[in-house]
Amino acid sequence: MERDKAELQNKKEKMEKAIKRILTRHREMDIREKDKGIEEQEEKYVETIKSKVKKIKQWLKENDDKPGKAGKPIKSNITDNESAKMKTAHG
């Protein structure tokens, strides 16, 4: 999953908005006392998103865009920023 810094910043912001939406929904569900199974599932999802946001924040803090041949930033891999796409017979 390779992305440039701007794409990662955008993804982080979208995830943070999703967390806020889910937490708002939880508060509304508490008022209405809906099914607890859905709430537990969403809480796990919030934790998953929070962990991904944390990983992206750490990456953004520690890394800069890698310049490409045309001077534009090339996409980076959060897991292994030193990895590169390799051309094969299939593309």
Side-chain angles (χ1 to χ4, degrees):
M1 183 156 89
E2 301 205 357
R3 304 184 190 281
D4 64 25
K5 205 166 186 177
E7 288 175 323
L8 288 171
Q9 183 70 31
N10 187 34
K11 182 172 181 158
K12 177 188 73 82
E13 289 169 5
K14 283 183 179 181
M15 286 185 202
E16 289 173 333
K17 285 179 185 178
I19 290 170
K20 287 179 185 178
R21 273 195 319 269
I22 291 170
L23 292 176
T24 300
R25 193 176 328 142
H26 279 207
R27 289 181 193 108
E28 291 171 359
M29 287 173 63
D30 285 342
I31 293 169
R32 291 186 242 129
E33 292 187 27
K34 276 199 162 186
D35 182 21
K36 295 292 181 185
I38 292 172
E39 189 173 333
E40 289 173 11
Q41 182 180 12
E42 287 182 343
E43 286 174 2
K44 288 179 185 177
Y45 185 59
V46 166
E47 290 306 314
T48 300
I49 293 174
K50 281 182 179 180
S51 120
K52 289 180 180 183
V53 166
K54 183 179 177 182
K55 188 174 184 178
I56 290 173
K57 280 182 180 179
Q58 186 68 31
W59 189 93
L60 288 169
K61 187 184 334 178
E62 296 175 356
N63 297 281
D64 289 323
D65 282 333
K66 294 189 285 186
K69 291 180 183 177
K72 293 183 180 180
I74 58 174
K75 296 185 178 196
S76 298
N77 185 315
I78 292 176
T79 306
D80 181 8
N81 196 31
E82 300 303 317
S83 67
K85 288 188 175 183
M86 297 180 69
K87 293 190 179 201
T88 67
H90 300 288

